[in-house]
Amino acid sequence: MATEPSSLLRRWFQALLPRKGWVFALSLAWGAAGILTFTGLGRDLFPDMSLPVLSVLIQSPGRATPELELSVAQPAEQALGGMPGVRRVNSVVLPELVQTVVTFEGGTDPWRARQLVAERLSGVVGSFPAGTRPPLMTSASGRLQELMEIVLEGERVDPMRLRDHTDQVLVPRLQAVPGVARVEKLGGQERSLQIQLIPERVRSLGVTLDKVMAALEQSGQDLAAGILEIQDKGWYMSVGSLAAGPEEVRRLPVQAARRTVTLGEIAEVREAPAFRRGLARHDGHEDVSLRIVKQPTAATLEVAEGVREAVKELQRGLPQGMRLETIYDQGGLVTHALDGVTLALAVGGLFVAGVLVALLGSFRGAVLVLAVLPLATFGAAIPLRLSGLGLNAMTLGGLAIAVGLLVDAAVIMVENLAHRLHGADGGTRRDVLTRAAAEVAGPILTAVLVILAVFIPLLSMGGIAGKLYAPLAAAVASAMTISLVLTFTLVPALVERFLPPGATLREPRLVAAIKRVYRPALDWALGHGVLVRILALGLTVPSLWLAFRLGTDFLPALDERAFMLLSKVPSESSLEAVDKANLLLDERLRDIPGVGAVYRRSGRAEVTEDPCPITDSEVMVILRADADEKAVGREVLEAAEAMPFPVEVNTPMQERIAEGIGGTPADIQVKLFNRDLDALRRELPALRERLLRVEGVRSVTPDTPDPMPRWRAVLDEEALRRLDVPRPLVARTLQAALQGLEAEARFDGPQRIERTVRFPNDGHASPETLKDTPLVLDDGRALSLGQVLRFEEASTPTLVRRESAQRRLGLNVRTGGDLGGTARRIEQALAGVQLPEGTFVKLGGKIEEARETQRRLGLAVAGALALVVGLLFLALKRWREVLVVVATLPDAFAGALFALWLAGETWNISSIVGMIGLFGVAVQNSLVLITQAKALMDAGTPFEEALREASLGRVRPKLMTAGAAILGLAPMLLGFGGSELERPLAIAMVGGLVTSTLFTLLALPSFYAWVGRPRDGR
């Protein structure tokens, strides 16, 4: 690089230094604004990784799974699948319920997506079967937004009272917390008004079901009649038609065959628990579970704090005997993790300050350099806020990478300014500073641009990968850009004002001792370039081999102090049987030392985005503060494996991340597509055994339950015609004999109370008893169901999963940590399997998004490499020197790869981020060394002497950069205060910086001396 400083940069410093008062004032203002903005940023564990998702719930009471698949699921999929921006359309078909989940590509406007879905659905709703309820489009909050689990309990309180208080008081208050999308309630006994018909009286009086339903119509509320005007006043008039309680309902008139009777004459009317499809238990006793789901754009900690305040208010007003307790609070996990990373950054900053004071040789000079650190770190919050970003694991990880780099430019600037001031033999102090600042401004600018070039391509990745890496890149780019601006403004002004004339940056004894050892080593390396290269490759090649041996995963493990178990009992089980089977698991888990609480949700809530079968249960195990998580985890696995039904083990956050990203809690989901599900199901046991033998597979469970038994009522067409019985009447009568017919509901404040008309059912009904159910016709004739139908035993799918408009089955695979390697081995195992004709296999779950992230990351790294090579050529002007830098880059990664292998880490988001940061540091160090050598050669110094002098001159800056970065990351390396998310990042960077420092000081100069010598031989 030319010795004449750029005239533009020189004019900049000439204009800047006389205005240093403004520089100080603006810097203070920037620092204050940065601190205020930093403390006000939203805080979350991760950036919002959820794609725009809309869940459509369609209920059709009384209809079986196969009928709903044909008449509801398929038309809905066809209508929604062709919309612009749709990534995938999945359906889950259950008895009486269809859930269709539409996932859009990242960047889709959620409100536009909602409008498109509503428009498409409106065109097919008319084709749904009679009695199908209007589609319910839930909010775009997926499982990633599930924030808290709260229970209302009272061992001696009527479960209906618990549910009443939940519906009337708790849900409205919690729903009113800003940022809460919905409150999913499960458990207790939902209050309903049941009209239980007395078969003998219905038969003798000739009362039809339609007459009973007609009597209940419009009795759920008072009716508006109009306005009565009297003189100058208007009086609202209403009809008191509300039949609120059982007594009022009993007095309702019903038209019988020969006279009008009251409802109380033909039925028993009482308040009783409604039919339920789910329940919740906490430490063995039933309670009401409240799951808080936040809005996608809401800040986790703010919503969590609002919910906690609301819970405190609600606890003060609880009726006697009730308790309200928070079981799981994701806000606490986020606070623990982010506070740990923030504290680690603060401690790392102190370590950086110590390194600078120790190695710079001047306390005053170190203070001038350290002024950049807080201004750049806190100041980065301002562009983050303007970009709509907050503090999370990725942005804090970016700042962690930047901590050791922020001061590098300032160190170079202060060193050169102090050196020129000390050796100045003419000119004013300001002129000397101007020339000295302009001399190093060009190399500093190029070095910072190299770091930015590494991270900028991450901003354009798109998809979930972009949602993860873009905040990291924004944090690094913001901090580095601010540090560059401060180096070109504040640092020269501080030096002019506070560095006294004649001040020098003395070389500390430690640096002098290192140089005494380094000088002969450098001389030997420069004379044995080929041997040094062979030795370097001897370390680098095995490390690159290790890179392919490291496992792959999506995220590092989190210290959640909780486990989440998913149990699946046989599909024919009733809710009572499901509860009884899981009680054994609950008891065994509670007996494990270190377990603080066991909380279970079985079945599904009334409105939820996860309408699982009633045979599925989620069991959350909360650990005590002093528990050994690994030991408890082993016993939890043993308890799960001892159960006679499948139980999967995960952690709450990891399960939600997996399900929010891949649509399933599984690490890997083997999806089998075929129209003939029975043929596929016959192959599942052998396929499961084959997968269990694959290395890395921990468990394999089916994601679809087996078919459930089914009684099919076959109508006797001859009897229907002979007896003149309407076909719909038979279906309605049978429905009334089972779960009942739903009449118009009434409301008690915010609580909806269902009113159900039914025949007696003590839970022991059978086809034989159902045949005796009275079938009353409009003309008063009373028949029995057995006269017009017979029952046949068959089976029906409990649940049908559909994806891309096709039926499928799936096997959920839990891995032992190496996600990518296990997926490859599974694909190899599946290659030799004979499956039914027409079957095709696809892997889904976390591995699907992990592979997409790797693909996008590969493109971003390729783009970064292209930018870096371009910058290197612009700075060095020779392709041979660019080759020197690029060819020695793998050497810098050797330590990182060895460190990851020794620590037992995998390729995951955190470790990959560490490698990206290391890439930028290695390129920057190599560039600075070669640039300084070229500057000395331009001044007339011979090649080898210039290279030797530049290498010796880089000892102290390199030690400061590496020492600052290593000690800055040390707290994270040790998992300081809950920073386990950033630990793989710290391992990669610390290990890489150790070898990168050695290679930059020895291997790079020797290789440059070997292949980079100028043609003129100087």
Side-chain angles (χ1 to χ4, degrees):
M1 185 172 289
T3 57
E4 286 295 325
S6 167
S7 60
L8 179 63
L9 291 172
R10 185 167 182 172
R11 287 199 300 271
W12 164 259
F13 290 112
Q14 284 175 340
L16 173 79
L17 291 177
R19 297 170 175 82
K20 57 180 177 290
W22 281 103
V23 173
F24 295 153
L26 290 175
S27 299
L28 289 173
W30 177 265
I35 292 173
L36 290 175
T37 305
F38 191 91
T39 56
L41 284 177
R43 306 179 76 192
D44 212 330
L45 192 58
F46 296 107
D48 180 19
M49 293 186 290
S50 59
L51 295 171
V53 175
L54 289 175
S55 176
V56 180
L57 298 174
I58 307 172
Q59 291 182 295
S60 187
R63 301 193 185 276
T65 302
E67 182 183 358
L68 287 179
E69 182 185 12
L70 295 173
S71 61
V72 176
Q74 289 187 7
E77 289 173 355
Q78 292 168 4
L80 299 175
M83 293 185 300
V86 170
R87 181 173 183 174
R88 59 175 177 255
V89 177
N90 297 344
S91 290
V92 177
V93 188
L94 294 159
E96 302 185 339
L97 177 66
V98 174
Q99 182 199 37
T100 300
V101 179
V102 187
T103 304
F104 291 84
E105 294 290 350
T108 303
D109 180 6
W111 298 110
R112 174 63 176 161
R114 195 177 186 89
Q115 181 182 5
L116 286 172
V117 170
E119 289 175 356
R120 291 297 185 96
L121 284 175
S122 64
V124 295
V125 166
S127 65
F128 291 164
T132 301
R133 295 175 181 173
L136 174 63
M137 200 181 335
T138 62
S139 68
S141 299
R143 295 215 65 186
L144 281 171
Q145 317 304 335
E146 293 176 6
L147 182 61
M148 301 175 77
E149 303 277 357
I150 302 170
V151 294
L152 177 67
E153 50 193 1
E155 293 88 337
R156 300 181 180 180
V157 180
D158 182 1
M160 278 203 299
R161 282 190 58 213
L162 287 176
R163 187 57 181 259
D164 289 346
H165 191 73
T166 299
D167 292 338
Q168 295 176 6
V169 180
L170 301 187
V171 171
R173 176 64 184 91
L174 293 171
Q175 190 77 58
V177 174
V180 171
R182 65 181 181 276
V183 180
E184 294 181 359
K185 52 194 176 183
L186 178 70
Q189 296 281 7
E190 188 177 4
R191 187 178 299 275
S192 71
L193 186 67
Q194 295 190 1
I195 297 93
Q196 184 170 295
L197 301 174
I198 303 172
E200 297 79 9
R201 296 183 184 177
V202 167
R203 191 188 300 272
S204 63
L205 294 173
V207 180
T208 66
L209 277 176
D210 289 341
K211 297 296 184 183
V212 174
M213 300 300 291
L216 290 169
E217 281 182 12
Q218 315 237 335
S219 64
Q221 59 184 354
D222 289 343
L223 301 178
I227 298 176
L228 174 63
E229 293 186 355
I230 302 178
Q231 294 181 357
D232 59 345
K233 294 183 179 181
W235 301 79
Y236 286 97
M237 185 74 70
S238 63
V239 179
S241 59
L242 172 63
E247 190 58 39
E248 292 87 345
V249 172
R250 291 190 190 99
R251 292 197 294 266
L252 291 175
V254 182
Q255 183 65 47
R258 289 174 292 277
R259 65 185 179 90
T260 300
V261 299
T262 63
L263 198 54
E265 293 181 61
I266 61 169
E268 294 181 3
V269 182
R270 66 178 186 273
E271 290 185 337
F275 180 76
R276 61 178 180 171
R277 295 175 175 82
L279 59 83
R281 284 188 181 273
H282 176 223
D283 288 341
H285 52 264
E286 274 203 58
D287 52 27
V288 179
S289 162
L290 298 166
R291 175 173 286 168
I292 309 298
V293 183
K294 75 179 186 70
Q295 297 168 3
T297 57
T300 295
L301 295 188
E302 293 178 8
V303 179
E305 183 59 32
V307 173
R308 291 189 204 107
E309 292 298 321
V311 168
K312 291 178 183 177
E313 294 176 14
L314 293 168
Q315 286 171 333
R316 291 193 289 267
L318 285 176
Q320 187 174 3
M322 294 186 189
R323 296 190 309 277
L324 189 65
E325 183 179 350
T326 300
I327 297 297
Y328 178 76
D329 183 356
Q330 191 187 110
L333 171 65
V334 173
T335 300
H336 174 69
L338 295 189
D339 284 354
V341 177
T342 304
L343 185 58
L345 278 172
V347 174
L350 293 177
F351 286 164
V352 170
V355 169
L356 291 177
V357 171
L359 297 181
L360 200 55
S362 167
F363 179 78
R364 184 172 297 194
V367 171
L368 299 183
V369 171
L370 286 172
V372 172
L373 190 60
L375 290 174
T377 303
F378 288 113
I382 296 175
L384 289 178
R385 166 65 67 84
L386 295 175
S387 303
L389 300 173
L391 293 181
N392 52 60
M394 303 307 289
T395 53
L396 288 174
L399 294 177
I401 292 174
V403 160
L405 307 177
L406 292 177
V407 296
D408 202 24
V411 166
I412 296 173
M413 179 66 75
V414 170
E415 272 193 323
N416 199 58
L417 295 179
H419 175 68
R420 295 302 184 193
L421 284 174
H422 181 68
D425 55 0
T428 66
R429 176 181 172 88
R430 182 165 294 172
D431 288 339
V432 173
L433 288 175
T434 299
R435 288 195 302 271
E439 283 177 1
V440 293
I444 287 173
L445 178 61
T446 305
V448 173
L449 287 177
V450 165
I451 297 291
L452 295 179
V454 171
F455 290 96
I456 291 299
L458 300 182
L459 294 171
S460 60
M461 288 179 64
I464 290 180
K467 289 175 176 285
L468 281 170
Y469 287 101
L472 170 110
V476 174
S478 299
M480 292 301 298
T481 302
I482 294 168
S483 74
L484 178 64
V485 173
L486 293 171
T487 301
F488 281 11
T489 55
L490 180 63
V491 172
L494 288 173
V495 169
E496 185 185 34
R497 175 64 181 84
F498 295 105
L499 197 65
T504 60
L505 301 182
R506 295 185 306 275
E507 192 172 81
R509 293 180 180 177
L510 176 61
V511 176
I514 292 174
K515 281 188 175 182
R516 284 195 297 271
V517 176
Y518 172 61
R519 183 175 285 104
L522 176 64
D523 290 338
W524 180 87
L526 291 176
H528 300 82
V530 177
L531 181 58
V532 171
R533 181 93 301 256
I534 292 173
L535 292 174
L537 290 175
L539 290 174
T540 301
V541 172
S543 72
L544 295 178
W545 176 79
L546 280 178
F548 296 97
R549 304 293 297 174
L550 293 176
T552 59
D553 208 343
F554 196 68
L555 291 169
L558 301 175
D559 180 15
E560 300 185 51
R561 312 293 298 169
F563 295 96
M564 178 71 83
L565 286 70
L566 178 61
S567 70
K568 297 175 180 287
V569 302
S571 57
E572 67 272 12
S573 305
S574 65
L575 183 61
E576 182 180 355
V578 171
D579 185 37
K580 186 176 180 181
N582 278 279
L583 279 173
L584 177 63
L585 176 61
D586 294 351
E587 293 170 4
R588 181 152 184 173
L589 292 171
R590 286 201 304 273
D591 291 339
I592 296 175
V595 170
V598 176
Y599 161 69
R600 170 163 58 87
R601 291 169 62 99
S602 295
R604 67 174 187 264
E606 289 76 19
V607 177
T608 175
E609 294 201 4
D610 185 25
C612 58
I614 65 170
T615 53
D616 287 5
S617 298
E618 283 185 348
V619 185
M620 187 179 293
V621 181
I622 312 296
L623 274 59
R624 292 201 298 264
D626 59 347
D628 182 346
E629 188 171 7
K630 291 185 178 179
V632 174
R634 287 192 294 268
E635 295 199 45
V636 168
L637 278 173
E638 291 174 3
E641 292 170 356
M643 293 297 105
F645 46 85
V647 181
E648 300 176 21
V649 180
N650 207 338
T651 63
M653 192 68 187
Q654 292 280 19
E655 180 182 352
R656 290 180 171 97
I657 289 172
E659 198 157 341
I661 290 175
T664 170
D667 295 328
I668 302 171
Q669 187 175 69
V670 180
K671 301 178 182 180
L672 307 167
F673 294 84
N674 196 309
R675 288 183 57 84
D676 189 352
L677 295 183
D678 292 332
L680 280 181
R681 195 170 279 111
R682 288 192 293 269
E683 302 295 331
L684 284 186
L687 187 59
R688 179 175 179 273
E689 291 299 322
R690 189 182 186 97
L691 293 178
L692 283 171
R693 293 195 294 270
V694 174
E695 181 186 352
V697 171
R698 197 172 69 190
S699 67
V700 181
T701 56
D703 79 329
T704 305
D706 293 333
M708 61 189 298
R710 173 190 182 189
W711 287 102
R712 183 170 181 265
V714 181
L715 298 178
D716 186 339
E717 299 293 344
E718 174 61 27
L720 290 177
R721 185 170 55 255
R722 175 169 42 83
L723 298 173
D724 193 22
V725 177
R727 188 185 300 264
L729 178 61
V730 179
R732 287 166 62 79
T733 302
L734 186 58
Q735 187 178 351
L738 296 172
Q739 273 71 57
L741 294 172
E742 292 184 2
E744 182 186 15
R746 77 173 181 87
F747 288 87
D748 183 5
Q751 183 181 13
R752 176 187 173 93
I753 299 179
E754 297 286 352
R755 300 193 298 173
T756 307
V757 177
R758 60 185 304 174
F759 286 104
N761 187 345
D762 58 0
H764 298 89
S766 67
E768 292 305 316
T769 60
L770 290 175
K771 288 180 180 179
D772 296 330
T773 303
L775 181 68
V776 182
L777 306 181
D778 289 339
D779 57 8
R781 287 181 297 146
L783 308 175
S784 297
L785 279 178
Q787 294 179 251
V788 295
L789 58 75
R790 70 179 189 279
F791 291 98
E792 294 180 351
E793 188 173 0
S795 65
T796 186
T798 306
L799 177 152
V800 173
R801 297 189 186 275
R802 296 174 57 84
E803 185 174 331
S804 302
Q806 300 175 82
R807 282 180 156 198
R808 72 161 182 84
L809 295 180
L811 291 172
N812 291 341
V813 179
R814 298 282 185 188
T815 67
D818 181 6
L819 185 65
T822 305
R824 288 191 296 271
R825 291 187 286 271
I826 286 175
E827 289 172 331
Q828 294 170 0
L830 292 173
V833 176
Q834 293 294 326
L835 294 172
E837 185 178 356
T839 302
F840 73 92
V841 183
K842 177 183 176 184
L843 296 190
K846 278 200 298 187
I847 185 61
E848 186 176 12
E849 193 56 47
R851 285 177 169 175
E852 176 65 14
T853 298
Q854 290 170 3
R855 185 188 69 81
R856 291 176 180 267
L857 189 59
L859 294 175
V861 170
L865 186 59
L867 285 175
V868 167
V869 169
L871 284 171
L872 289 174
F873 181 74
L874 290 175
L876 302 176
K877 303 294 191 299
R878 293 180 66 209
W879 283 112
R880 182 175 295 187
E881 290 165 347
V882 173
L883 176 63
V884 169
V885 176
V886 174
T888 54
L889 275 179
D891 299 344
F893 295 139
L897 296 171
F898 277 117
L900 289 172
W901 176 69
L902 289 173
E905 289 291 344
T906 61
W907 288 119
N908 53 56
I909 286 174
S910 184
S911 58
I912 291 173
V913 166
M915 297 297 285
I916 292 172
L918 183 62
F919 173 53
V921 174
V923 172
Q924 184 190 55
N925 287 329
S926 301
L927 173 63
V928 172
L929 176 63
I930 295 177
T931 300
Q932 289 186 349
K934 287 171 68 70
L936 291 171
M937 285 188 287
D938 290 338
T941 307
F943 173 72
E944 287 192 6
E945 185 179 342
L947 184 56
R948 182 179 291 103
E949 186 176 340
S951 299
L952 288 169
R954 283 297 296 166
V955 170
R956 180 163 64 172
K958 181 58 185 168
L959 289 176
M960 282 193 290
T961 300
I966 290 173
L967 291 178
L969 292 168
M972 297 181 188
L973 180 67
L974 302 174
F976 191 87
S979 57
E980 65 274 0
L981 272 175
E982 312 298 342
R983 187 170 181 267
L985 179 153
I987 290 172
M989 286 205 67
V990 169
L993 284 167
V994 171
T995 55
S996 174
T997 302
L998 295 175
F999 280 117
T1000 302
L1001 294 177
L1002 290 173
L1004 178 65
S1006 66
F1007 188 58
Y1008 185 32
W1010 178 33
V1011 302
R1013 183 183 298 272
R1015 292 197 180 109
D1016 56 11
R1018 287 192 300 124

